[in-house]
Amino acid sequence: MNNAIYNFPLPQNEPILEYKTGSPERILLEKELLRQTSETIEIPLIIGGIEIRTLQTGEVRMPHNHSHVLAKYYKATEKEVSEAIDSAMAAHKTWSDLSWTVRASILLKSAELISGKYRQVMNAATMLGQSKNMFQSEIDVVCETIDFLKFNAYFASRIYEMQPRSAFNQLNKMEFRPLEGFVFTVSPFNFTSIASNLNMAPVMMGNTTVWKPATTSLLSNYYLMKIFREAGLPDGVINFIPGSGALIGKQVLQSHDLAGIHFTGSNKTFNSLWQDVALQLPRYKSYPRLIGETGGKNFLFVHPSSSATEVAVNAYRGAFEYQGQKCSAVSRMYVPASLWTSVKDELLRICSEALMGDVMDPSNFINAVIDESSFDNIMEFIKYAENSEESDIIAGGRGDKSTGYFIEPTIIVTSNPSFRTMEEEIFGPVLTIFVYGDDKLQETIELCNTTSPYGLTGAVFAHDRVAASAMCEQLRYAAGNFYINDKPTGAIVGLQPFGGSRASGTNDKAGGEFNLIRWISPRTIKETFLPATEFRYPYMID
Ligand code: NAD
């Protein structure tokens, strides 16, 4: 038994490779893209380490070329959901009893496998299955996933070293127990790194999980599961069950042993999970921990002292990278009238230069949105703006789903600061702009603060540093991740802990102590060396 007290050092963030033409990483990636496009794999459920194929199946298709089937997957039925819960519960004791440094070593080995041997497998799967270009994929499935894995080992070591003081005649200890039960993890389609972290954060702290991945990210998520297993994750610690969210969710939430939900996705889904848990509260052994990061209506607020070029470049990248399907994407912008013409000219210039198309062609900045229902939903918002007298579409506006789900980056200018597309999350390449009078700065900041129910990310642009500071103060609760002179996307693990409040979630800051602490239920142990032998207290004795 190795009883050393060990601390993991602060890791470095994974460097982003450049993928220049002819670079070793580019050559390997192109080879892997061809390999994955030339095969159709099977994606089974993995429960207790066993691959399971049910009679219900579905297909994984490329969003940018939807006639191309990448995989056939198997869906969980009620039987497999029960098996996954049983398997997570059966693995709980061994996993939670294992030394935390051994658990951490599995996370660190997973990070090494992704950084090296499987870097291009994970990139190609994310590019093809989720329609990300190579840069967007590299920063997600490679860099962010690795950072989550490595930083969680480091942050866990900081939590484990927190101990109470011991006073005279006593020894006090804090034992960081995992939750008593299993954790239900529900992942979104848009970040493979999030799918990894939703599982590996509770797993790091000694929990076991039942994982319901998003159907539209199954290819990369399946490879992820295989990497965790290759890194040494024991059977049953994570149980991978693709299938219908409604079916799986309903059954999992009926389990007496549900100890927590780790969710990222829409506000609507999280609300329904929370409501179902609340209605069934007496069922559960403990109060389930509910941790959810949800939607956003992220803003970019421009002060008259800003540079039009800085604003336009950051608005374009922030709104349209990965087709606006980042929870942190800019989707509403407030521009002073004095700067509007120059910001507009710059934006239209970029729109005319940025190309859209297949992920295999690296000249494309924009790729496809994730699936048909998303395409239809986004187009419905655009049609709404087209038909409204309160708005003008100044760029984009067209969509074509004949080959892939392509929607042009669309910029709407509205005269109504409460216009529907200023308030509701669209989750697509649509940016709405409200031009305000320079003399209406204060009330427009207040409008920005109160227009939408969300509070995820936001940015202010200003060369006047005093003004930037005042805006930061006024918008204190408008965003959990707040940026000054930068786009509000691209948070990095260990540098900008991520999460928002209001309707954007529980703000437990993924990739840090705040999140990891939610996956433990500490036990305080007091030992007294010389127990009392007299019932009377000193003041009672003459
Ligand atoms: P979604 O809510 O549609 O789906 C998320 C997951 O929930 C999927 O796996 C889905 O199958 C599952 N699900 C759906 N209904 C369920 C039910 N009744 N029971 C159990 N599971 C169920 O979200 P999405 O479209 O995959 O992702 C986009 C959303 O995620 C956006 O709103 C975006 O803002 C949000 N998001 C937030 C963050 C963040 O950190 N705040 C990060 C990424 C994405």
Side-chain angles (χ1 to χ4, degrees):
M1 175 79 173
N2 180 351
N3 56 8
I5 296 175
Y6 192 77
N7 284 309
F8 286 95
L10 179 67
Q12 297 290 315
N13 289 102
E14 178 73 7
I16 303 170
L17 300 186
E18 287 190 319
Y19 294 88
K20 286 191 175 149
T21 312
S23 62
E25 66 269 18
R26 177 80 167 263
I27 292 168
L28 285 174
L29 175 60
E30 283 168 350
K31 212 166 125 198
E32 183 59 22
L33 283 164
L34 285 180
R35 192 188 72 74
Q36 290 191 23
T37 44
S38 64
E39 64 178 18
T40 307
I41 65 160
E42 289 206 339
I43 300 182
L45 289 73
I46 302 178
I47 299 174
I50 298 169
E51 295 195 353
I52 294 172
R53 290 167 173 76
T54 61
L55 295 175
Q56 294 184 23
T57 60
E59 288 173 336
V60 177
R61 291 166 180 267
M62 292 181 187
H64 44 275
N65 180 7
H66 47 60
S67 62
H68 191 122
V69 178
L70 290 161
K72 168 183 170 183
Y73 73 96
Y74 294 87
K75 298 181 189 176
T77 69
E78 286 176 4
K79 176 172 172 289
E80 291 77 34
V81 178
S82 279
E83 287 170 359
I85 295 171
D86 292 347
S87 163
M89 290 307 294
H92 188 274
K93 176 143 181 54
T94 318
W95 182 246
S96 59
D97 284 352
L98 200 63
S99 155
W100 70 270
T101 54
V102 177
R103 296 199 303 261
S105 80
I106 294 173
L107 270 73
L108 296 175
K109 181 164 178 182
S110 301
E112 293 306 328
L113 288 170
I114 295 169
S115 177
K117 186 174 167 189
Y118 293 115
R119 193 179 196 107
Q120 303 318 341
V121 172
M122 293 311 300
N123 264 329
T126 301
M127 289 172 69
L128 298 172
Q130 288 141 263
S131 205
K132 286 201 173 188
N133 61 43
M134 59 182 78
F135 177 73
Q136 292 300 321
S137 173
E138 170 83 2
I139 58 174
D140 162 17
V141 65
V142 175
C143 301
E144 189 167 60
T145 306
I146 292 170
D147 289 350
F148 273 138
L149 291 164
K150 289 188 174 174
F151 278 81
N152 275 343
Y154 162 73
F155 285 123
S157 76
R158 294 208 339 191
I159 291 172
Y160 287 128
E161 73 186 9
M162 287 194 283
Q163 287 297 321
R165 285 184 311 109
S166 289
F168 173 71
N169 190 29
Q170 61 184 230
L171 177 63
N172 296 319
K173 288 187 282 194
M174 192 85 110
E175 178 192 353
F176 296 101
R177 303 172 302 183
L179 305 183
E180 193 178 11
F182 69 92
V183 176
F184 182 35
T185 56
V186 184
S187 55
F189 78 84
N190 65 336
F191 274 87
T192 312
S193 56
I194 292 177
S196 171
N197 189 57
L198 289 175
N199 287 286
M200 286 308 223
V203 159
M204 174 64 236
M205 305 312 283
N207 298 277
T208 56
T209 72
V210 170
W211 175 18
K212 151 66 189 102
T215 302
T216 37
S217 57
L218 273 181
L219 188 65
S220 62
N221 289 193
Y222 173 59
Y223 284 122
L224 204 51
M225 181 70 192
K226 287 178 45 140
I227 291 171
F228 296 155
R229 289 172 53 69
E230 185 173 327
L233 192 79
D235 296 345
V237 173
I238 298 178
N239 299 279
F240 175 78
I241 52 168
S244 148
L247 181 144
I248 296 170
K250 181 163 183 267
Q251 197 178 340
V252 169
L253 266 50
Q254 286 171 1
S255 171
H256 172 63
D257 293 311
L258 178 74
I261 298 179
H262 203 190
F263 175 86
T264 301
S266 65
N267 173 269
K268 187 168 158 243
T269 308
F270 190 51
N271 285 356
S272 87
L273 290 170
W274 193 304
Q275 277 159 356
D276 287 354
V277 166
L279 288 174
Q280 305 184 74
L281 218 42
R283 271 183 196 276
Y284 308 120
K285 200 185 287 168
S286 317
Y287 287 98
R289 300 272 167 92
L290 305 178
I291 288 89
E293 296 302 332
T294 67
K297 190 68 198 172
N298 313 301
F299 60 86
L300 199 155
F301 198 99
V302 184
H303 185 263
S305 67
S306 312
S307 135
T309 306
E310 289 170 8
V311 168
V313 167
N314 285 284
Y316 189 88
R317 283 184 166 182
F320 300 129
E321 280 179 329
Y322 191 39
Q323 297 74 261
Q325 300 171 119
K326 297 188 185 189
C327 48
S328 52
V330 182
S331 63
R332 54 187 169 121
M333 178 155 89
Y334 301 81
V335 184
S338 57
L339 272 186
W340 173 230
T341 308
S342 38
V343 169
K344 179 179 168 188
D345 290 349
E346 284 288 306
L347 274 173
L348 294 182
R349 178 186 63 75
I350 303 171
C351 284
S352 69
E353 288 174 18
L355 303 176
M356 177 168 76
D358 197 309
V359 294
M360 299 284 266
D361 179 349
S363 59
N364 290 324
F365 192 88
I366 307 285
N367 309 110
V369 299
I370 194 71
D371 62 10
E372 185 166 21
S373 71
S374 191
F375 177 94
D376 291 345
N377 180 46
I378 299 163
M379 289 308 295
E380 195 270 319
F381 277 101
I382 294 174
K383 287 270 159 323
Y384 177 85
E386 231 168 48
N387 295 331
S388 169
E389 288 182 356
E390 292 180 321
S391 62
D392 279 327
I393 295 180
I394 61 162
R398 284 173 305 185
D400 178 356
K401 61 176 174 181
S402 53
T403 308
Y405 304 112
F406 290 104
I407 298 178
E408 289 174 346
T410 298
I411 302 177
I412 299 168
V413 179
T414 182
S415 54
N416 174 6
S418 302
F419 193 60
R420 189 176 159 213
T421 63
M422 291 292 281
E423 287 185 348
E424 294 177 31
E425 186 183 47
I426 304 173
F427 219 56
V430 181
L431 170 66
T432 306
I433 296 173
F434 174 69
V435 180
Y436 69 90
D438 290 43
D439 57 339
K440 301 245 170 15
L441 178 67
Q442 289 311 317
E443 54 254 60
T444 313
I445 295 173
E446 196 42 34
L447 268 175
C448 174
N449 187 27
T450 51
T451 296
S452 147
Y454 295 105
L456 190 52
T457 75
V460 293
F461 272 74
H463 282 190
D464 177 339
R465 190 60 186 80
V466 175
S469 186
M471 291 195 286
C472 183
E473 193 51 39
Q474 271 177 276
L475 294 166
R476 189 172 190 206
Y477 284 99
N481 280 65
F482 193 84
Y483 295 78
I484 298 173
N485 293 325
D486 203 348
K487 64 183 171 55
T489 58
I492 293 177
V493 178
L495 300 181
Q496 297 98 22
F498 191 79
S501 59
R502 293 185 176 164
S504 293
T506 54
N507 198 10
D508 290 288
K509 300 291 186 206
E513 295 104 320
F514 295 110
N515 180 284
L516 294 182
I517 276 175
R518 304 299 309 273
W519 306 117
I520 48 177
S521 175
R523 174 165 70 148
T524 306
I525 302 171
K526 174 189 176 190
E527 180 184 348
T528 298
F529 301 130
L530 303 170
T533 53
E534 165 61 59
F535 88 92
R536 280 175 288 253
Y537 288 96
Y539 76 91
M540 301 166 82
I541 304 168
D542 279 336

